[in-house]
């Protein structure tokens, strides 16, 4: 593709959209023309040393666009993705709108790039916590088969978009100044607190966010029988989700074997020297694409004769959990 492709970022002014623009530039993506879309215009964003105007999305927005990166909520995606596809664009969608549609590939390029070949115009980017967990778990699954996963997530406020980050910062400032705290992005005060409630409650009192970990992991790993139980918690961290993952495996695997497998796995950095106080933490993983994995140890709760491990992971959910994964998918699409 000599002259590059025409790319739209829809939701460009949000947490994920703005990061997509940054990642496209960093990875020197072959962009010919970049169109930035949001609910309204009257703004501009930096791109390759210049300013690109933000346009209000309209029916004409996707004309001539080859790849449309969607970083908007699910109902907005549901409305606009079919229109973008009709205009000839391939849509890479970050919302949960299409993820479980059997006609829509759900892709982490390091794990199941081959699933993309069957796309019919829309490719879905998985849930951020699921991407972060599976970058670490897929190589272990390939080696010894994972049959059960118990996950507890510690999710950054920016996972709720720009409004979530703004709220933690404002509450922290107000707290320091002895002012009353106002709450709008989350159910309760998030500064100096944590909230075990992300997305709406659904089946069996699990939240939809928790069920995404189960359903999306099964689809990405092609493991329909994988048993998953997940608890998702919002924590007062700006950026990068962390997760405690307990896995039961088909075949035996020692922590040393897992570390060896993960050392050469794409997208992973093993940080696992607990006696030297080296383990994954969100401050270390923010603003980059690698998923850090550490605290790898035997699961002491297993029945005799069963196999499994406990791991701790941390990764930037706006980058590998959203923007970078979407741009990687777009790179495969245009190649
Ligand atoms: N944040 C994360 O860590 C993360 C991770 C993975 C996936 N996701 C998913 O990525 C998507 C975007 O999340 P975000 O965190 O970036 O949200 P955000 O910061 O709230 O940004 C939302 C974007 O959508 C635009 N928008 C909102 N309503 C619109 C409408 N009716 N018509 C057109 N544009 C509209 C906003 O434009 P205006 O500026 O004009 O309002 C803004 O650009 C969501 O589906 C989210 O679930 C987020």
């Amino acid at each position: 593709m000599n002259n590059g492709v025409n790319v739209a970022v829809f939701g460009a002014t949000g947490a994920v959209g703005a990061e997509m623009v940054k990642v496209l530039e960093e990875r020197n993506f072959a962009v010919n023309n970049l169109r930035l879309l949001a609910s309204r215009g009257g703004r501009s964003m930096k791109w390759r040393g210049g300013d690109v105007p933000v346009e209000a999305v309209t029916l004409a927005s996707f004309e001539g666009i080859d790849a449309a990166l969607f970083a908007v909520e699910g109902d907005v995606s549901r409305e606009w993705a079919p229109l973008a596809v009709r205009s000839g664009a391939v849509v890479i969608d970050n919302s949960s709108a299409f993820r479980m549609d059997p006609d829509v590939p759900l892709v982490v390029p390091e794990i199941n790039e081959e699933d993309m070949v069957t796309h019919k115009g829309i490719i879905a980017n998985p849930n951020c916590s699921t991407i972060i967990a599976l970058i670490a778990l897929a190589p272990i699954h390939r080696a010894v088969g994972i049959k059960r996963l118990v996950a507890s997530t510690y999710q950054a406020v920016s996972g709720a978009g720009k409004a979530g980050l703004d709220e933690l910062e404002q509450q922290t400032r107000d707290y320091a100044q002895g002012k009353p705290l106002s709450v709008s992005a989350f159910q309760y005060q998030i500064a100096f607190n944590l909230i075990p409630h992300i997305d709406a409650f659904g089946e069996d009192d699990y939240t939809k966010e928790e069920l995404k970990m189960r359903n999306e992991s099964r689809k990405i790993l092609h493991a329909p029988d994988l048993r998953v139980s997940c608890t998702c918690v919002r924590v007062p961290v700006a950026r990068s989700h962390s997760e405690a993952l307990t896995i039961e495996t088909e075949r035996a695997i020692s922590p040393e074997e897992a570390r060896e497998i993960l050392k050469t796995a794409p997208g992973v950095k093993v940080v696992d020297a607990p006696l030297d106080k080296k383990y994954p933490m969100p401050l270390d993983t923010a603003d980059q694409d690698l998923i850090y994995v550490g605290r790898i140890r035997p699961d002491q709760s297993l029945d005799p004769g069963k196999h499994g491990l406990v791991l701790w992971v941390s990764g930037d959910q706006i980058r590998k959990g959203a923007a970078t994964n979407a741009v990687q998918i777009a790179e495969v699409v245009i190649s």
Side-chain angles (χ1 to χ4, degrees), residues 127-137 149-156 198 209-210 212-214 217 228-233 235 240-247 280-282 285 291-297 310-317 320-321:
N127 165 261
C128 43
S129 299
T130 307
I131 295 178
I132 291 165
L134 293 192
I135 282 285
L137 295 184
L149 162 66
V150 179
S152 300
T153 71
Y154 303 66
Q155 298 188 210
I198 301 177
E209 185 80 355
E210 290 160 352
K212 286 171 203 165
M213 178 74 83
R214 181 193 70 188
S217 297
V228 180
S229 179
C230 181
T231 303
C232 289
V233 181
V235 296
S240 276
H241 292 354
S242 303
E243 305 175 25
L245 306 171
T246 300
I247 52 170
M281 292 190 292
T285 57
I291 305 304
Y292 287 21
V293 188
R295 302 290 323 277
I296 304 172
R297 57 206 193 278
V310 180
L311 307 89
W312 173 255
V313 299
S314 182
D316 187 326
Q317 91 289 347
K320 182 56 194 167

Short mmCIF file of all heavy atoms in Angstrom, two decimals, residues 127-137 149-156 198 209-210 212-214 217 228-233 235 240-247 280-282 285 291-297 310-317 320-321:
data_model
loop_
_atom_site.label_atom_id
_atom_site.label_comp_id
_atom_site.label_asym_id
_atom_site.label_seq_id
_atom_site.Cartn_x
_atom_site.Cartn_y
_atom_site.Cartn_z
N ASN A 127 -12.50 -7.02 25.69
CA ASN A 127 -12.49 -6.29 26.95
C ASN A 127 -11.05 -6.15 27.46
O ASN A 127 -10.24 -7.08 27.33
CB ASN A 127 -13.35 -7.08 27.95
CG ASN A 127 -13.14 -6.64 29.37
OD1 ASN A 127 -12.40 -7.28 30.12
ND2 ASN A 127 -13.77 -5.57 29.76
N CYS A 128 -10.74 -5.01 28.06
CA CYS A 128 -9.35 -4.71 28.43
C CYS A 128 -8.79 -5.71 29.46
O CYS A 128 -7.66 -6.20 29.31
CB CYS A 128 -9.24 -3.29 28.96
SG CYS A 128 -10.55 -2.81 30.09
N SER A 129 -9.57 -6.05 30.48
CA SER A 129 -9.06 -7.00 31.50
C SER A 129 -8.84 -8.38 30.89
O SER A 129 -7.91 -9.11 31.29
CB SER A 129 -10.06 -7.14 32.65
OG SER A 129 -10.25 -5.91 33.26
N THR A 130 -9.68 -8.72 29.91
CA THR A 130 -9.54 -10.03 29.26
C THR A 130 -8.26 -10.06 28.43
O THR A 130 -7.50 -11.04 28.47
CB THR A 130 -10.77 -10.30 28.38
OG1 THR A 130 -11.95 -10.14 29.17
CG2 THR A 130 -10.74 -11.70 27.79
N ILE A 131 -7.98 -8.98 27.69
CA ILE A 131 -6.73 -8.95 26.90
C ILE A 131 -5.53 -9.10 27.84
O ILE A 131 -4.62 -9.92 27.58
CB ILE A 131 -6.59 -7.61 26.12
CG1 ILE A 131 -7.69 -7.47 25.07
CG2 ILE A 131 -5.20 -7.52 25.48
CD1 ILE A 131 -7.65 -6.16 24.29
N ILE A 132 -5.53 -8.34 28.93
CA ILE A 132 -4.38 -8.35 29.84
C ILE A 132 -4.18 -9.75 30.44
O ILE A 132 -3.06 -10.26 30.50
CB ILE A 132 -4.56 -7.26 30.92
CG1 ILE A 132 -4.44 -5.88 30.26
CG2 ILE A 132 -3.55 -7.42 32.06
CD1 ILE A 132 -4.94 -4.72 31.10
N ALA A 133 -5.27 -10.40 30.84
CA ALA A 133 -5.16 -11.75 31.41
C ALA A 133 -4.66 -12.74 30.35
O ALA A 133 -3.75 -13.54 30.60
CB ALA A 133 -6.51 -12.20 31.95
N LEU A 134 -5.25 -12.66 29.15
CA LEU A 134 -4.96 -13.71 28.15
C LEU A 134 -3.58 -13.58 27.52
O LEU A 134 -3.01 -14.58 27.08
CB LEU A 134 -6.03 -13.73 27.07
CG LEU A 134 -7.43 -14.18 27.54
CD1 LEU A 134 -8.33 -14.44 26.33
CD2 LEU A 134 -7.38 -15.42 28.41
N ILE A 135 -3.03 -12.36 27.47
CA ILE A 135 -1.65 -12.24 26.97
C ILE A 135 -0.73 -13.12 27.84
O ILE A 135 0.19 -13.76 27.34
CB ILE A 135 -1.21 -10.76 27.00
CG1 ILE A 135 -1.80 -10.01 25.81
CG2 ILE A 135 0.31 -10.63 27.02
CD1 ILE A 135 -1.14 -10.30 24.47
N ALA A 136 -1.03 -13.19 29.14
CA ALA A 136 -0.22 -14.03 30.03
C ALA A 136 -0.68 -15.49 29.99
O ALA A 136 0.15 -16.40 30.08
CB ALA A 136 -0.30 -13.50 31.46
N LEU A 137 -1.97 -15.72 29.88
CA LEU A 137 -2.48 -17.09 30.04
C LEU A 137 -2.44 -17.91 28.75
O LEU A 137 -2.32 -19.14 28.81
CB LEU A 137 -3.91 -17.05 30.58
CG LEU A 137 -4.06 -16.48 32.00
CD1 LEU A 137 -5.51 -16.59 32.45
CD2 LEU A 137 -3.14 -17.19 33.00
N LEU A 149 -10.30 -20.91 35.58
CA LEU A 149 -9.64 -19.63 35.90
C LEU A 149 -10.47 -18.92 36.96
O LEU A 149 -11.69 -18.76 36.79
CB LEU A 149 -9.56 -18.76 34.63
CG LEU A 149 -9.31 -17.26 34.82
CD1 LEU A 149 -7.91 -17.01 35.40
CD2 LEU A 149 -9.44 -16.53 33.47
N VAL A 150 -9.81 -18.49 38.02
CA VAL A 150 -10.45 -17.59 39.00
C VAL A 150 -9.67 -16.28 38.94
O VAL A 150 -8.46 -16.26 39.18
CB VAL A 150 -10.42 -18.18 40.43
CG1 VAL A 150 -11.07 -17.20 41.41
CG2 VAL A 150 -11.13 -19.53 40.46
N ALA A 151 -10.36 -15.21 38.56
CA ALA A 151 -9.68 -13.92 38.37
C ALA A 151 -10.26 -12.87 39.29
O ALA A 151 -11.48 -12.80 39.48
CB ALA A 151 -9.85 -13.47 36.91
N SER A 152 -9.37 -12.06 39.87
CA SER A 152 -9.80 -10.87 40.62
C SER A 152 -9.08 -9.69 40.00
O SER A 152 -7.85 -9.71 39.88
CB SER A 152 -9.41 -10.96 42.09
OG SER A 152 -10.01 -12.09 42.66
N THR A 153 -9.85 -8.67 39.58
CA THR A 153 -9.22 -7.55 38.89
C THR A 153 -9.16 -6.32 39.80
O THR A 153 -10.00 -6.14 40.69
CB THR A 153 -9.97 -7.16 37.61
OG1 THR A 153 -11.22 -6.54 37.97
CG2 THR A 153 -10.23 -8.37 36.72
N TYR A 154 -8.16 -5.50 39.54
CA TYR A 154 -7.96 -4.24 40.27
C TYR A 154 -7.87 -3.17 39.18
O TYR A 154 -6.79 -2.91 38.63
CB TYR A 154 -6.67 -4.29 41.08
CG TYR A 154 -6.60 -5.45 42.07
CD1 TYR A 154 -6.56 -6.78 41.64
CD2 TYR A 154 -6.58 -5.22 43.44
CE1 TYR A 154 -6.51 -7.83 42.54
CE2 TYR A 154 -6.52 -6.27 44.35
CZ TYR A 154 -6.49 -7.57 43.89
OH TYR A 154 -6.43 -8.62 44.78
N GLN A 155 -9.02 -2.58 38.80
CA GLN A 155 -9.10 -1.82 37.56
C GLN A 155 -8.99 -0.31 37.79
O GLN A 155 -9.68 0.27 38.64
CB GLN A 155 -10.41 -2.18 36.83
CG GLN A 155 -10.46 -3.65 36.46
CD GLN A 155 -11.63 -4.05 35.57
OE1 GLN A 155 -12.08 -5.19 35.66
NE2 GLN A 155 -12.13 -3.16 34.73
N ALA A 156 -8.13 0.29 36.96
CA ALA A 156 -7.84 1.73 37.08
C ALA A 156 -9.07 2.57 36.71
O ALA A 156 -9.93 2.14 35.93
CB ALA A 156 -6.69 2.07 36.13
N ILE A 198 -18.39 -3.05 38.55
CA ILE A 198 -18.06 -2.42 37.26
C ILE A 198 -19.06 -2.95 36.24
O ILE A 198 -19.19 -4.15 36.05
CB ILE A 198 -16.61 -2.74 36.83
CG1 ILE A 198 -15.63 -2.23 37.89
CG2 ILE A 198 -16.31 -2.11 35.47
CD1 ILE A 198 -14.16 -2.54 37.61
N GLU A 209 -19.12 -6.94 33.39
CA GLU A 209 -17.66 -6.89 33.23
C GLU A 209 -17.05 -8.25 33.61
O GLU A 209 -16.13 -8.72 32.96
CB GLU A 209 -17.10 -5.77 34.11
CG GLU A 209 -15.60 -5.52 33.98
CD GLU A 209 -15.23 -4.69 32.76
OE1 GLU A 209 -16.11 -4.37 31.93
OE2 GLU A 209 -14.03 -4.36 32.63
N GLU A 210 -17.57 -8.86 34.67
CA GLU A 210 -17.05 -10.16 35.11
C GLU A 210 -17.41 -11.26 34.11
O GLU A 210 -16.58 -12.16 33.84
CB GLU A 210 -17.62 -10.47 36.51
CG GLU A 210 -17.03 -9.53 37.56
CD GLU A 210 -17.84 -9.41 38.85
OE1 GLU A 210 -18.97 -9.94 38.94
OE2 GLU A 210 -17.33 -8.76 39.79
N LYS A 212 -17.78 -10.83 30.96
CA LYS A 212 -16.96 -10.65 29.74
C LYS A 212 -15.70 -11.49 29.84
O LYS A 212 -15.26 -12.10 28.86
CB LYS A 212 -16.56 -9.18 29.57
CG LYS A 212 -17.69 -8.25 29.12
CD LYS A 212 -17.25 -6.78 29.19
CE LYS A 212 -18.45 -5.86 29.29
NZ LYS A 212 -18.07 -4.49 29.71
N MET A 213 -15.08 -11.53 31.02
CA MET A 213 -13.85 -12.32 31.20
C MET A 213 -14.13 -13.78 30.86
O MET A 213 -13.32 -14.44 30.19
CB MET A 213 -13.35 -12.18 32.64
CG MET A 213 -12.13 -12.99 32.98
SD MET A 213 -10.61 -12.32 32.28
CE MET A 213 -10.18 -11.08 33.48
N ARG A 214 -15.28 -14.30 31.28
CA ARG A 214 -15.62 -15.70 30.99
C ARG A 214 -15.91 -15.89 29.50
O ARG A 214 -15.27 -16.69 28.81
CB ARG A 214 -16.85 -16.12 31.81
CG ARG A 214 -17.25 -17.56 31.58
CD ARG A 214 -18.62 -17.87 32.14
NE ARG A 214 -19.68 -17.21 31.38
CZ ARG A 214 -20.97 -17.19 31.74
NH1 ARG A 214 -21.34 -17.76 32.87
NH2 ARG A 214 -21.87 -16.59 31.00
N SER A 217 -12.96 -14.89 27.01
CA SER A 217 -11.81 -15.81 27.08
C SER A 217 -12.12 -17.10 26.32
O SER A 217 -11.28 -17.63 25.59
CB SER A 217 -11.49 -16.16 28.54
OG SER A 217 -11.10 -15.01 29.24
N VAL A 228 -14.79 -20.22 34.34
CA VAL A 228 -14.24 -18.93 34.80
C VAL A 228 -15.14 -18.33 35.86
O VAL A 228 -16.36 -18.32 35.73
CB VAL A 228 -14.14 -17.92 33.62
CG1 VAL A 228 -13.57 -16.58 34.10
CG2 VAL A 228 -13.28 -18.48 32.48
N SER A 229 -14.51 -17.84 36.92
CA SER A 229 -15.23 -17.04 37.91
C SER A 229 -14.39 -15.78 38.14
O SER A 229 -13.18 -15.87 38.34
CB SER A 229 -15.38 -17.84 39.20
OG SER A 229 -16.03 -17.06 40.15
N CYS A 230 -15.04 -14.62 38.08
CA CYS A 230 -14.26 -13.38 38.09
C CYS A 230 -14.90 -12.36 39.03
O CYS A 230 -16.13 -12.29 39.13
CB CYS A 230 -14.21 -12.83 36.65
SG CYS A 230 -13.27 -11.32 36.46
N THR A 231 -14.08 -11.59 39.72
CA THR A 231 -14.56 -10.46 40.53
C THR A 231 -13.83 -9.21 40.05
O THR A 231 -12.59 -9.19 40.06
CB THR A 231 -14.25 -10.69 42.03
OG1 THR A 231 -14.86 -11.91 42.44
CG2 THR A 231 -14.79 -9.53 42.87
N CYS A 232 -14.57 -8.22 39.60
CA CYS A 232 -13.95 -7.00 39.06
C CYS A 232 -14.11 -5.86 40.06
O CYS A 232 -15.22 -5.57 40.52
CB CYS A 232 -14.60 -6.60 37.74
SG CYS A 232 -14.18 -7.72 36.39
N VAL A 233 -13.01 -5.20 40.35
CA VAL A 233 -13.00 -4.15 41.37
C VAL A 233 -12.35 -2.88 40.81
O VAL A 233 -11.28 -2.95 40.21
CB VAL A 233 -12.21 -4.64 42.62
CG1 VAL A 233 -12.21 -3.56 43.71
CG2 VAL A 233 -12.78 -5.94 43.15
N VAL A 235 -10.34 0.41 41.45
CA VAL A 235 -9.42 0.88 42.50
C VAL A 235 -8.92 2.29 42.16
O VAL A 235 -8.93 2.68 41.00
CB VAL A 235 -8.23 -0.10 42.66
CG1 VAL A 235 -8.71 -1.46 43.14
CG2 VAL A 235 -7.44 -0.24 41.37
N SER A 240 -3.64 1.52 34.21
CA SER A 240 -3.16 0.14 34.23
C SER A 240 -3.98 -0.71 35.20
O SER A 240 -4.07 -0.42 36.39
CB SER A 240 -1.68 0.01 34.63
OG SER A 240 -0.86 0.21 33.49
N HIS A 241 -4.55 -1.75 34.61
CA HIS A 241 -5.29 -2.73 35.41
C HIS A 241 -4.30 -3.80 35.91
O HIS A 241 -3.37 -4.19 35.20
CB HIS A 241 -6.34 -3.44 34.56
CG HIS A 241 -7.48 -2.59 34.11
ND1 HIS A 241 -7.68 -1.29 34.51
CD2 HIS A 241 -8.53 -2.88 33.28
CE1 HIS A 241 -8.79 -0.81 33.96
NE2 HIS A 241 -9.32 -1.76 33.19
N SER A 242 -4.57 -4.31 37.12
CA SER A 242 -3.81 -5.45 37.64
C SER A 242 -4.81 -6.57 37.94
O SER A 242 -5.99 -6.30 38.16
CB SER A 242 -3.06 -5.06 38.91
OG SER A 242 -2.21 -3.95 38.63
N GLU A 243 -4.32 -7.81 37.95
CA GLU A 243 -5.23 -8.94 38.14
C GLU A 243 -4.51 -10.07 38.86
O GLU A 243 -3.35 -10.37 38.55
CB GLU A 243 -5.72 -9.46 36.77
CG GLU A 243 -6.34 -8.37 35.91
CD GLU A 243 -6.73 -8.84 34.50
OE1 GLU A 243 -6.98 -10.04 34.31
OE2 GLU A 243 -6.78 -7.99 33.60
N ALA A 244 -5.22 -10.70 39.81
CA ALA A 244 -4.74 -11.94 40.41
C ALA A 244 -5.44 -13.08 39.67
O ALA A 244 -6.68 -13.09 39.57
CB ALA A 244 -5.09 -11.98 41.89
N LEU A 245 -4.65 -14.00 39.12
CA LEU A 245 -5.20 -15.08 38.29
C LEU A 245 -4.82 -16.44 38.88
O LEU A 245 -3.63 -16.73 39.05
CB LEU A 245 -4.63 -14.98 36.87
CG LEU A 245 -4.80 -13.63 36.15
CD1 LEU A 245 -4.00 -13.60 34.84
CD2 LEU A 245 -6.27 -13.34 35.87
N THR A 246 -5.82 -17.24 39.21
CA THR A 246 -5.58 -18.60 39.70
C THR A 246 -6.06 -19.55 38.63
O THR A 246 -7.23 -19.48 38.22
CB THR A 246 -6.35 -18.85 41.01
OG1 THR A 246 -5.90 -17.89 41.98
CG2 THR A 246 -6.11 -20.25 41.53
N ILE A 247 -5.15 -20.40 38.14
CA ILE A 247 -5.54 -21.31 37.05
C ILE A 247 -5.37 -22.77 37.47
O ILE A 247 -4.44 -23.11 38.18
CB ILE A 247 -4.71 -21.05 35.76
CG1 ILE A 247 -3.20 -21.06 36.06
CG2 ILE A 247 -5.14 -19.76 35.10
CD1 ILE A 247 -2.34 -21.06 34.81
N PRO A 280 4.99 -7.02 39.25
CA PRO A 280 4.29 -6.04 38.39
C PRO A 280 3.46 -5.07 39.23
O PRO A 280 2.76 -5.47 40.17
CB PRO A 280 3.36 -6.92 37.54
CG PRO A 280 3.97 -8.29 37.58
CD PRO A 280 4.58 -8.41 38.94
N MET A 281 3.56 -3.79 38.87
CA MET A 281 2.74 -2.76 39.53
C MET A 281 2.25 -1.77 38.47
O MET A 281 2.97 -1.49 37.50
CB MET A 281 3.56 -2.01 40.58
CG MET A 281 3.93 -2.86 41.78
SD MET A 281 4.63 -1.87 43.11
CE MET A 281 6.18 -1.34 42.38
N PRO A 282 1.06 -1.20 38.68
CA PRO A 282 0.50 -0.33 37.64
C PRO A 282 1.35 0.90 37.33
O PRO A 282 1.40 1.31 36.17
CB PRO A 282 -0.88 0.07 38.20
CG PRO A 282 -0.93 -0.40 39.60
CD PRO A 282 0.10 -1.45 39.77
N THR A 285 3.72 -0.16 34.65
CA THR A 285 3.24 -0.66 33.35
C THR A 285 2.48 0.40 32.56
O THR A 285 2.17 0.19 31.38
CB THR A 285 2.32 -1.89 33.54
OG1 THR A 285 1.23 -1.53 34.38
CG2 THR A 285 3.07 -3.05 34.13
N ILE A 291 2.65 -6.50 28.92
CA ILE A 291 1.92 -6.97 30.10
C ILE A 291 2.96 -7.61 31.03
O ILE A 291 3.66 -8.54 30.63
CB ILE A 291 0.84 -8.01 29.71
CG1 ILE A 291 -0.11 -7.44 28.65
CG2 ILE A 291 0.08 -8.49 30.96
CD1 ILE A 291 -0.81 -6.16 28.99
N TYR A 292 3.05 -7.07 32.24
CA TYR A 292 4.01 -7.62 33.20
C TYR A 292 3.36 -8.77 33.96
O TYR A 292 2.20 -8.67 34.37
CB TYR A 292 4.43 -6.55 34.21
CG TYR A 292 5.36 -5.47 33.68
CD1 TYR A 292 5.46 -5.18 32.33
CD2 TYR A 292 6.15 -4.73 34.56
CE1 TYR A 292 6.32 -4.19 31.87
CE2 TYR A 292 7.00 -3.74 34.11
CZ TYR A 292 7.08 -3.46 32.76
OH TYR A 292 7.91 -2.47 32.31
N VAL A 293 4.15 -9.85 34.15
CA VAL A 293 3.65 -11.03 34.86
C VAL A 293 4.64 -11.39 35.97
O VAL A 293 5.84 -11.43 35.73
CB VAL A 293 3.51 -12.24 33.90
CG1 VAL A 293 2.81 -13.39 34.61
CG2 VAL A 293 2.75 -11.86 32.64
N GLY A 294 4.12 -11.65 37.16
CA GLY A 294 4.99 -12.02 38.27
C GLY A 294 4.22 -12.74 39.36
O GLY A 294 3.09 -13.17 39.13
N ARG A 295 4.86 -12.85 40.53
CA ARG A 295 4.26 -13.57 41.67
C ARG A 295 3.77 -14.96 41.24
O ARG A 295 2.73 -15.43 41.71
CB ARG A 295 3.09 -12.77 42.28
CG ARG A 295 3.41 -11.37 42.78
CD ARG A 295 4.30 -11.36 44.04
NE ARG A 295 4.03 -12.41 44.97
CZ ARG A 295 3.07 -12.41 45.90
NH1 ARG A 295 2.29 -11.35 46.03
NH2 ARG A 295 2.91 -13.42 46.71
N ILE A 296 4.51 -15.60 40.34
CA ILE A 296 4.07 -16.92 39.84
C ILE A 296 4.42 -17.96 40.89
O ILE A 296 5.57 -18.09 41.29
CB ILE A 296 4.76 -17.25 38.49
CG1 ILE A 296 4.49 -16.13 37.47
CG2 ILE A 296 4.27 -18.60 37.96
CD1 ILE A 296 5.28 -16.27 36.16
N ARG A 297 3.40 -18.69 41.35
CA ARG A 297 3.61 -19.63 42.45
C ARG A 297 2.58 -20.75 42.39
O ARG A 297 1.58 -20.62 41.69
CB ARG A 297 3.57 -18.89 43.79
CG ARG A 297 2.28 -18.13 44.04
CD ARG A 297 2.55 -16.95 45.00
NE ARG A 297 1.32 -16.37 45.51
CZ ARG A 297 0.59 -15.47 44.85
NH1 ARG A 297 0.92 -15.09 43.62
NH2 ARG A 297 -0.50 -14.98 45.38
N VAL A 310 -0.81 -19.70 40.55
CA VAL A 310 -1.34 -18.37 40.83
C VAL A 310 -0.38 -17.36 40.20
O VAL A 310 0.84 -17.52 40.30
CB VAL A 310 -1.46 -18.12 42.35
CG1 VAL A 310 -2.02 -16.73 42.61
CG2 VAL A 310 -2.32 -19.19 43.01
N LEU A 311 -0.93 -16.35 39.50
CA LEU A 311 -0.10 -15.33 38.86
C LEU A 311 -0.67 -13.95 39.17
O LEU A 311 -1.86 -13.81 39.48
CB LEU A 311 -0.09 -15.47 37.33
CG LEU A 311 0.25 -16.80 36.69
CD1 LEU A 311 -0.99 -17.66 36.50
CD2 LEU A 311 0.90 -16.58 35.34
N TRP A 312 0.17 -12.95 39.02
CA TRP A 312 -0.24 -11.56 39.18
C TRP A 312 0.19 -10.81 37.92
O TRP A 312 1.35 -10.92 37.51
CB TRP A 312 0.44 -10.96 40.42
CG TRP A 312 0.25 -9.50 40.60
CD1 TRP A 312 1.16 -8.51 40.38
CD2 TRP A 312 -0.94 -8.84 41.08
NE1 TRP A 312 0.63 -7.29 40.70
CE2 TRP A 312 -0.66 -7.46 41.13
CE3 TRP A 312 -2.20 -9.28 41.48
CZ2 TRP A 312 -1.60 -6.52 41.54
CZ3 TRP A 312 -3.14 -8.35 41.90
CH2 TRP A 312 -2.83 -6.99 41.92
N VAL A 313 -0.74 -10.11 37.28
CA VAL A 313 -0.40 -9.41 36.03
C VAL A 313 -0.78 -7.94 36.15
O VAL A 313 -1.67 -7.59 36.92
CB VAL A 313 -1.12 -10.02 34.79
CG1 VAL A 313 -0.71 -11.47 34.60
CG2 VAL A 313 -2.62 -9.90 34.91
N SER A 314 -0.11 -7.11 35.37
CA SER A 314 -0.48 -5.69 35.31
C SER A 314 -0.17 -5.18 33.90
O SER A 314 0.85 -5.53 33.32
CB SER A 314 0.33 -4.89 36.34
OG SER A 314 -0.06 -3.54 36.32
N GLY A 315 -1.10 -4.39 33.35
CA GLY A 315 -0.88 -3.85 32.01
C GLY A 315 -1.74 -2.63 31.76
O GLY A 315 -2.78 -2.45 32.40
N ASP A 316 -1.28 -1.79 30.86
CA ASP A 316 -1.98 -0.53 30.57
C ASP A 316 -3.22 -0.84 29.74
O ASP A 316 -3.13 -1.21 28.57
CB ASP A 316 -1.04 0.42 29.82
CG ASP A 316 -1.65 1.80 29.65
OD1 ASP A 316 -2.89 1.89 29.49
OD2 ASP A 316 -0.90 2.78 29.67
N GLN A 317 -4.38 -0.65 30.35
CA GLN A 317 -5.63 -1.05 29.68
C GLN A 317 -6.03 -0.09 28.58
O GLN A 317 -6.84 -0.45 27.72
CB GLN A 317 -6.75 -1.20 30.72
CG GLN A 317 -7.59 0.03 30.99
CD GLN A 317 -6.86 1.13 31.75
OE1 GLN A 317 -5.78 0.93 32.30
NE2 GLN A 317 -7.43 2.33 31.78
N LYS A 320 -2.39 -1.60 25.53
CA LYS A 320 -2.60 -2.97 25.03
C LYS A 320 -4.04 -3.42 25.24
O LYS A 320 -4.59 -4.19 24.47
CB LYS A 320 -1.61 -3.93 25.70
CG LYS A 320 -1.72 -5.36 25.18
CD LYS A 320 -1.57 -5.47 23.66
CE LYS A 320 -2.04 -6.82 23.16
NZ LYS A 320 -2.20 -6.87 21.69
N GLY A 321 -4.69 -2.90 26.30
CA GLY A 321 -6.08 -3.30 26.55
C GLY A 321 -7.08 -2.66 25.61
O GLY A 321 -8.26 -3.01 25.63
#
